[in-house]
Amino acid sequence: ANIAAYTKFKTDMDMRTPIVYVGANDGMLHAFNATTGTEQFAFVPTAVIPNLNRLTDANYGATDGSAPHQYYVDSTPVIADAYFDGAWHTVLVSGLGAGGREVFALDITDPSSPKLLWEFTNVNDGDLGYSIPKPSIARLHTGEWAVLVPNGYNSASNGTGKAVLFALNIQTGAVIRKLTATTDT
């Protein structure tokens, strides 16, 4: 991808409707028009779907512990431009925070028509814990674009319990590399 192509992409994208993306604790990532406040879309990650019915419990959030607060999508999304599939794209990546063990990516190049790129969960790799750490989008030394994801809290429940950094392909979510911390010096 050359500089002229990216410059044209940025110029074209500056004409987009400005959007504010918010991970809400209602089970969705919301996209709001920054000028009007109108909701453009909401995305429900697969990992929160089994717990959504808890929101309708008449005792939800009860202090007696009968229906405690449930976390859903309480993470801050990360947005960056990346080059893949022969073109520039604007990609949003987010975890669920304390809401679950998932990281997902949306192609938001056209905010009126977002596309789910992938979801990576602890089912894909047991070493993914609660996705509280914020992911990063980076271009690797190979030229490939990646999402760097720390494995998060409580990965020991079905993984190794070790600190892991995942490098995921930004377009597909496939694991490029999994780096596990060791005590070796």
Side-chain angles (χ1 to χ4, degrees):
N2 64 35
I3 292 174
Y6 184 65
T7 301
K8 179 173 179 355
F9 173 80
K10 284 302 288 177
T11 301
D12 292 347
M13 293 301 103
D14 285 345
M15 305 301 229
R16 288 184 286 200
T17 301
I19 303 291
V20 174
Y21 298 93
V22 179
N25 217 9
D26 63 354
M28 294 174 251
L29 173 92
H30 295 276
F32 297 100
N33 180 305
T35 305
T36 66
T38 304
E39 185 169 39
Q40 301 297 293
F41 71 86
F43 171 71
V44 179
T46 302
V48 302
I49 291 172
N51 296 322
L52 284 177
N53 64 331
R54 294 181 183 182
L55 286 170
T56 61
D57 188 324
N59 293 322
Y60 178 80
T63 56
D64 66 3
S66 62
H69 170 69
Q70 172 73 42
Y71 291 98
Y72 289 99
V73 184
D74 67 341
S75 186
T76 301
V78 174
I79 299 171
D81 296 330
Y83 189 84
F84 59 85
D85 202 22
W88 283 98
H89 301 265
T90 302
V91 178
L92 177 148
V93 178
S94 185
L96 304 182
R101 296 174 171 138
E102 177 178 320
V103 179
F104 61 88
L106 302 173
D107 184 334
I108 57 168
T109 305
D110 177 356
S112 66
S113 183
K115 295 176 181 77
L116 174 64
L117 294 172
W118 49 264
E119 294 176 279
F120 184 81
T121 72
N122 63 320
V123 173
N124 300 105
D125 191 305
D127 278 326
L128 184 66
Y130 285 90
S131 50
I132 293 170
K134 191 160 78 168
S136 298
I137 297 172
R139 185 171 180 230
L140 303 178
H141 70 288
T142 61
E144 183 176 13
W145 286 86
V147 177
L148 305 177
V149 180
N151 69 320
Y153 174 74
N154 203 18
S155 66
S157 62
N158 64 345
T160 63
K162 293 183 179 180
V164 173
L165 179 68
F166 295 99
L168 306 176
N169 178 287
I170 197 162
Q171 181 181 8
T172 67
V175 176
I176 298 168
R177 190 90 183 256
K178 178 180 172 181
L179 305 166
T180 303
T182 66
T183 56
D184 297 341
T185 54

